[in-house]
Every structure is written in structure tokens, then in C-alpha cells.
Amino acid sequence: MYKAKSEIIIEFESEDFAKTIFTSIKPEEVDIPSKRTNITLSLNGTKIYLLINAKDTTALRAAMNSYLRLIKVAQNILETVK
């Protein structure tokens, strides 16, 4: 049973930018390194939705940090190659 939950919505400047970032992090949803979390990613226009369910706050924090870092790295790479 999951005790901790977080929903993060990140909006980007364009649908193409959001889609590219979403496509780059989507494989991580399947390859979750922890059995203590469940991650759901979705895309709607310029927004990426990240829903994290975790068995405890430590697992929730770790998953949030990991996914936000992945998104930031993808964003930095896209901005560099623009």
C-alpha cells in the first residue's frame, strides 16, 4: 500500500519541446529502480504530468529528485542544441 503521493505538473514553452522531453524520460517509467514507488507519466499539450506513489516519504523524495533531475538534464540538452 502506498502512503505518500505527489503530482507534479511541468509546463513548457511549446508542445514540441514538451513532447521531446516526455519521449526522452518515458522509458524510465518502465525501468523503475525501486519496488517502493509507482510512477505514471503523461503528456497533455505543453504539460508533462508526473504522478508518484510511494510506500514512504523517503522513496517519494528519491523518486521526485530522480525524475526532476532527468527532466532538467533533458531540458538543458534541448536548450543547448537549439
Side-chain angles (χ1 to χ4, degrees), residues 3-54:
K3 295 180 181 180
K5 177 179 170 180
S6 177
E7 183 176 5
I8 300 168
I9 303 167
I10 303 171
E11 186 168 9
F12 295 95
E13 67 226 24
S14 72
E15 287 186 25
D16 287 341
F17 199 85
K19 184 178 180 182
T20 302
I21 291 178
F22 177 78
T23 303
S24 72
I25 63 170
K26 184 69 173 167
E28 298 298 323
E29 180 181 25
V30 180
D31 193 24
I32 300 169
S34 173
K35 302 289 186 211
R36 294 167 37 206
T37 59
N38 178 28
I39 312 291
T40 304
L41 286 167
S42 60
L43 175 67
N44 187 0
T46 60
K47 296 179 184 176
I48 293 177
Y49 295 84
L50 173 60
L51 177 61
I52 304 170
N53 289 301

Side-chain angles (χ1 to χ4, degrees), residues 70-81:
L70 286 171
I71 291 167
K72 184 62 178 167
V73 167
Q75 181 179 4
N76 287 343
I77 291 169
L78 280 175
E79 288 173 350
T80 301
V81 297

